[in-house]
Amino acid sequence: MEEKLPKIYSKKAILGFSIFLSTLFGGVLLYQNLIEVNKKKEAYTVLAISILLTILTVIIVNIPENPKSSLAYLCGLGGGCLLSYYLMPKYFPDEEKYPQKAIWKPLIIAVIIVAIILFSVIYTTSIENS
């Protein structure tokens, strides 16, 4: 009898979340994939790398006088490529054999987090300007 493989997030999902949200979001998806296959040590390593890349992105984006969002996308692309095209094949060389997990749940969570952050920024800005 063939072993039933757990569902995992695809390489494309990890790359997309990394580019459009941050490397941290993409890293969390890869972290969850690794937890699903009981690779806890590797999962925590991936999470630490994603946190460091996200901090690095924040620093890089805020270096210029006028921060540019395009820099955040470029950093997300770089981090996403690292996660999707280096780490994912390293831990899941046979990724295509795994059933794909739907991205709706992390997408909804990400939208809620982004909405809370945007609301907080707008609210604190309006308080400072009153």
Side-chain angles (χ1 to χ4, degrees):
M1 192 169 126
E2 197 175 310
E3 182 186 341
K4 190 169 188 250
L5 296 172
K7 287 185 175 185
I8 62 170
Y9 293 108
S10 72
K11 196 184 290 188
K12 288 179 185 175
I14 292 167
L15 181 62
F17 272 77
S18 297
I19 294 170
F20 296 109
L21 294 162
S22 81
T23 306
L24 182 59
F25 282 91
V28 167
L29 295 184
L30 182 51
Y31 164 86
Q32 289 181 322
N33 285 353
L34 290 164
I35 292 293
E36 284 290 325
V37 295
N38 293 318
K39 292 184 178 182
K40 288 193 169 99
K41 183 180 164 216
E42 294 88 342
Y44 290 114
T45 302
V46 163
L47 195 57
I49 290 169
S50 339
I51 291 169
L52 288 172
L53 288 171
T54 302
I55 291 169
L56 192 63
T57 298
V58 170
I59 292 168
I60 290 170
V61 169
N62 289 302
I63 287 175
E65 286 287 322
N66 301 321
K68 303 237 182 295
S69 61
S70 58
L71 282 174
Y73 290 117
L74 282 173
C75 290
L77 176 65
C81 285
L82 176 74
L83 294 171
S84 298
Y85 297 109
Y86 177 70
L87 294 174
M88 185 78 173
K90 180 178 177 181
Y91 300 127
F92 297 93
D94 53 351
E95 178 208 348
E96 65 283 342
K97 292 180 182 174
Y98 288 82
Q100 288 190 3
K101 218 182 229 187
I103 63 164
W104 294 113
K105 186 178 176 184
L107 190 58
I108 291 167
I109 292 168
V111 166
I112 291 169
I113 291 170
V114 169
I116 290 169
I117 292 169
L118 279 174
F119 175 78
S120 301
V121 168
I122 292 168
Y123 183 74
T124 53
T125 305
S126 66
I127 288 177
E128 289 171 4
N129 292 335
S130 350

